Amino acid sequence: MRDARTALDTLAGWLRGRYRGGRVLGVGHRVVHGGARFAAPTIVTPQVLEELRQLIPLAPLHQPYNLAAIDAVAERIPDVAQVACFDTSFHRGQPAVAELVPLPKEIRDAGVQRYGFHGLSYEYIASVLPDVAPQIAAGRVIVAHLGSGASLCAMRNGKSVDSSFGFTAVDGLCMGTRPGAVDPGVILYLFQNMGLSAQDVESILYKKSGLLAISGISNDMRDLLGSSEPAARLAVDYFVYRAAKEIGALTAALGGLDALVFTAGIGENSAEIRRRICEASSWLGIELDANANERCGPRISREGSRVSAWVIPTNEELMIARHTGRLLGLI
Ligand code: AMP
């Protein structure tokens, strides 16, 4: 798709073909950043849109495209209500220590804090836990959203208490093309000693790092698992190592762990990565059921495992549809 308008026209054509005679009652959008203010989905008004535009510098690679889709709908079907659902909202309400970036006050006052992302995915998982795994729904749960973007969320009683993403969706776990946590001194070094520009560094951090950089082959986990190249093996080793290390850190934040849930492209489909992460986390009391893991669960830990492990497919689109329907009084 060339731009939001072309995408919308294509989608509208598909909708008309599929639901002949139907009428659009509302449009829900995934918007990556809701800042500190939007702790819940919200109906889009001109004022809301203006506030969301002010957040573009916080997510320059995602927010403009999300807002372009809202603009395209407003232009084509101006009378239809739109709802913005944020990837950050689910994490609002975390303890102050989890949100803090300990830099000078004027920097924090300008909006520099840990926001967390993948919130719609985590909210969906929290919403289905009472049905899929009622025994852990009120407990201490780490959800591992492992896809092209990857992060972990620590939940207590279905609420986010911390996550591996921070101010941006670069922090935390190793991802397809993003490095995850990097000593900030490295970034300074890139500017001061390697003479790189801000644009170079942005491109390195978002597009040229992570699994792609380590392997030199691909950012797709399937390619790496199928390769016998030492660099591909190192990329997978690092992915697992970082995930297991961060699971340990979030377990400390939760004061213990009752369950680990895998979701998203890698988490839902790769029995090998799940096995390796569970093995690296066996010290926490996770005992994997190899057959259940191969069958993709939903429960993949053995009966009697002190910490249970699960595979639950995520559904961010359904979460957006539910929010949109509820906010517009349609359901
Ligand atoms: P997502 O961003 O959630 O759509 O996840 C996309 C990523 O999931 C892809 O880049 C693949 O690396 C990964 N993926 C999908 N299927 C598999 C699989 N069967 N085994 C390993 N990785 C997979």
Side-chain angles (χ1 to χ4, degrees):
M1 299 294 159
R2 215 171 43 244
D3 53 34
R5 271 192 213 101
T6 318
L8 182 66
D9 289 344
T10 306
L11 180 64
W14 179 82
L15 278 169
R16 272 194 295 271
R18 177 140 184 184
Y19 302 101
R20 271 172 212 294
R23 197 161 59 85
V24 178
L25 299 173
V27 179
H29 296 263
R30 177 184 184 177
V31 176
V32 71
H33 222 303
R37 186 166 108 65
F38 293 103
T42 188
I43 295 177
V44 177
T45 63
Q47 195 202 329
V48 166
L49 203 50
E50 188 42 45
E51 286 185 48
L52 297 180
R53 284 195 212 289
Q54 285 168 18
L55 296 171
I56 286 176
L58 299 185
L61 299 184
H62 293 99
Q63 194 86 342
Y65 303 102
N66 303 155
L67 303 185
I70 296 178
D71 288 337
V73 171
E75 203 182 284
R76 294 286 200 269
I77 36 177
D79 297 332
V80 169
Q82 302 197 65
V83 170
C85 304
F86 305 102
D87 267 323
T88 48
S89 294
F90 185 67
H91 302 291
R92 298 289 62 77
Q94 286 178 350
V97 285
E99 291 192 332
L100 191 66
V101 172
L103 292 175
K105 187 166 182 311
E106 61 274 19
I107 296 176
R108 285 182 276 131
D109 287 347
V112 176
Q113 64 166 73
R114 298 183 71 248
Y115 288 102
F117 298 90
H118 285 153
L120 290 162
S121 174
Y122 294 129
E123 188 182 15
Y124 175 79
I125 299 293
S127 80
V128 298
L129 277 185
D131 293 324
V132 180
Q135 60 274 53
I136 58 160
R140 299 159 300 180
V141 176
I142 293 177
V143 182
H145 177 113
L146 308 178
S148 326
S151 72
L152 303 178
C153 179
M155 292 182 197
R156 188 181 287 117
N157 195 17
K159 303 265 180 300
S160 170
V161 298
D162 203 347
S163 92
S164 61
F165 272 151
F167 175 58
T168 63
V170 171
D171 203 3
L173 305 187
C174 177
M175 291 166 253
T177 60
R178 287 169 264 169
V182 172
D183 175 353
V186 171
I187 310 299
L188 270 182
Y189 184 83
L190 298 183
F191 284 124
Q192 294 173 338
N193 297 72
M194 298 188 76
L196 299 187
S197 69
Q199 212 177 9
D200 296 334
V201 173
E202 181 180 274
S203 161
I204 288 170
L205 289 178
Y206 283 91
K207 297 186 177 148
K208 298 181 182 167
S209 299
L211 297 176
L212 176 65
I214 305 170
S215 68
I217 294 173
S218 170
N219 61 335
D220 191 313
M221 185 58 88
R222 283 166 292 199
D223 297 337
L224 303 181
L225 290 171
S227 166
S228 55
E229 289 293 321
R233 286 219 294 277
L234 180 63
V236 177
D237 289 351
Y238 185 73
F239 183 88
V240 170
Y241 173 75
R242 284 290 301 132
K245 191 166 155 176
E246 202 76 27
I247 286 168
L250 288 183
T251 299
L254 284 167
L257 188 64
D258 297 309
L260 175 62
V261 177
F262 291 94
T263 195
I266 300 171
E268 291 167 25
N269 296 304
S270 177
E272 182 174 346
I273 296 293
R274 289 195 302 264
R275 175 183 59 74
R276 291 187 54 182
I277 291 175
C278 285
E279 280 172 3
S281 307
S282 61
W283 63 278
L284 287 168
I286 300 177
E287 293 175 56
L288 193 69
D289 176 333
N291 291 330
N293 185 40
E294 291 298 329
R295 290 194 306 269
C296 294
R299 187 180 168 128
I300 59 170
S301 52
R302 278 190 217 140
E303 202 64 43
S305 176
R306 189 150 47 83
V307 173
S308 60
W310 304 78
V311 181
I312 303 179
T314 194
N315 197 337
E316 292 155 298
E317 294 80 6
L318 180 60
M319 210 61 238
I320 295 169
R322 280 185 192 157
H323 283 309
T324 303
R326 217 188 38 246
L327 266 179
L328 299 183
L330 304 173
I331 53 174

